[in-house]
Amino acid sequence: MPVPDSAKDFIAGTFGGWAQVVAGHPFDTLKVRLQTQGNPPKYNGGMDCLRITLKEEGLAGLYRGVTSPLAGIGFCNAVVFSANGYFRRMLQGGEAKPLTLSQIAVAGGLAGSVMSFINCPVELLKVKLQVQSNAVANGVAGAVKPYSGVFDCGVRTFSTYGIRGLYRGITITILRDIPSFAAYFGFYEALKASFSNTFAAGRELNGFELLLAGGTAGIGCWTVCYPQDVIKSRMQNDRRSSYKSFLDCAAKLNAESGYRAFFRGFGPTMARAFPANAATLWAYEMAMKWMNSTDDLAIL
């Protein structure tokens, strides 16, 4: 019995999410630590952050907070790929016709708006775990006891702030994810079409071409939304409720460090964007290919 298209999107998206975490989490840890550091900054840049993290915490420090995205991003990717597939089929109006690039971007943006409501609490817990230190053990006055894991972090956050605490930064997350996923799927499909038409119209792309298209799409999606991501990270790591809104956060960041504040951690993010998204979309395509071949065998 053939697998429904919506189920294929969900399953393939899950595999894509797991691949993304394995390939990209160390870069993401560096990005978040650079984004959330105070003034004066602890790190001079991405390489300095990497050096200090490895020196103080070892390789495990780069994977701090990985449980949350490993459990959550697989599901998040499943949702966004399912939503993207749904909105694409909606725009097709029940007809088997190819979409224009603008329609693909619209479907991606709509999928991003859905993704935000799952992304926000998952990323909030990830940020809290990534930036926590051993300050309590070192006797720092006023230090907060470190979270023992993602569950402890979630329970303590909810007990202190309620559901609003888990959804802190939701507005800026939406404003990040809509343009980000519009660019993501738009760039990816445009590059796939370009490769196919350039080398041999209608042929199936090879693994290298899929990795190249996916990695480039990842760079494109982060380029259009990076300042929003910085604001989101700062708001989600704000233990003292210093920011009244994302606009207030943006104004205070600008007053503190100027426009450069909105691009802290940009280097590690770009370094992560290519391998993480190449892995994501390659894993998605391979899972879809396997399920489609299974359907063909079932029909035979």
Side-chain angles (χ1 to χ4, degrees):
M1 182 178 178
V3 180
D5 289 340
S6 57
K8 289 180 183 177
D9 286 328
F10 191 91
I11 294 167
T14 300
F15 280 102
W18 290 339
Q20 179 186 113
V21 173
V22 172
H25 192 79
F27 297 100
D28 189 66
T29 297
L30 300 180
K31 178 203 74 170
V32 170
R33 291 188 174 191
L34 287 165
Q35 287 178 340
T36 57
Q37 64 183 328
N39 193 28
K42 178 180 179 180
Y43 312 110
N44 293 324
M47 292 304 297
D48 186 50
C49 183
L50 174 62
R51 180 184 62 79
I52 292 174
T53 299
L54 289 174
K55 180 180 178 181
E56 294 182 350
E57 305 172 57
L59 186 61
L62 295 175
Y63 280 92
R64 187 178 292 277
V66 73
T67 307
S68 176
L70 197 59
I73 288 180
F75 178 70
C76 286
N77 264 43
V79 170
V80 79
F81 277 99
S82 296
N84 183 59
Y86 170 81
F87 288 121
R88 286 192 186 193
R89 289 186 288 272
M90 182 185 74
L91 291 172
Q92 286 176 321
E95 301 177 20
K97 60 181 181 181
L99 295 174
T100 64
L101 279 179
S102 61
Q103 288 175 318
I104 289 170
V106 167
L110 290 171
S113 68
V114 174
M115 174 77 156
S116 301
F117 290 91
I118 300 171
N119 236 352
C120 187
V122 169
E123 292 191 359
L124 180 137
L125 299 181
K126 174 180 68 68
V127 165
K128 286 180 176 291
L129 288 165
Q130 283 175 319
V131 301
Q132 74 174 352
S133 65
N134 293 321
V136 171
N138 294 331
V140 176
V144 177
K145 178 184 176 182
Y147 303 111
S148 61
V150 63
F151 182 76
D152 178 51
C153 183
V155 169
R156 286 167 59 183
T157 300
F158 180 79
S159 63
T160 303
Y161 304 105
I163 192 67
R164 293 182 64 181
L166 293 173
Y167 275 91
R168 181 165 179 77
I170 182 61
T171 302
I172 194 64
T173 303
I174 293 171
L175 293 177
R176 180 198 66 172
D177 286 352
I178 289 177
S180 176
F181 282 102
Y184 188 53
F185 288 109
F187 271 115
Y188 183 60
E189 295 298 340
L191 287 166
K192 284 174 63 181
S194 176
F195 291 156
S196 179
N197 291 332
T198 299
F199 300 115
R203 73 170 175 80
E204 183 176 333
L205 300 185
N206 60 42
F208 174 77
E209 290 163 348
L210 289 174
L211 289 169
L212 183 59
T216 305
I219 291 174
C221 83
W222 275 108
T223 301
V224 302
C225 75
Y226 195 77
Q228 300 98 297
D229 188 66
V230 174
I231 296 168
K232 179 197 72 69
S233 292
R234 290 297 291 255
M235 291 187 70
Q236 291 184 331
N237 188 50
D238 178 27
R239 297 180 183 275
R240 301 177 182 176
S241 299
S242 305
Y243 309 119
K244 298 176 183 177
S245 67
F246 75 88
L247 290 174
D248 181 51
C249 180
K252 288 179 178 176
L253 277 174
N254 186 63
E256 176 186 299
S257 305
Y259 76 92
R260 295 178 184 275
F262 299 99
F263 292 92
R264 284 179 178 170
F266 188 72
T269 299
M270 291 297 104
R272 170 187 180 272
F274 192 96
N277 290 285
T280 299
L281 288 164
W282 180 84
Y284 172 82
E285 294 281 8
M286 293 301 101
M288 288 293 286
K289 182 178 180 180
W290 178 78
M291 286 185 286
N292 287 333
S293 66
T294 302
D295 281 354
D296 292 339
L297 289 174
I299 292 172
L300 294 174

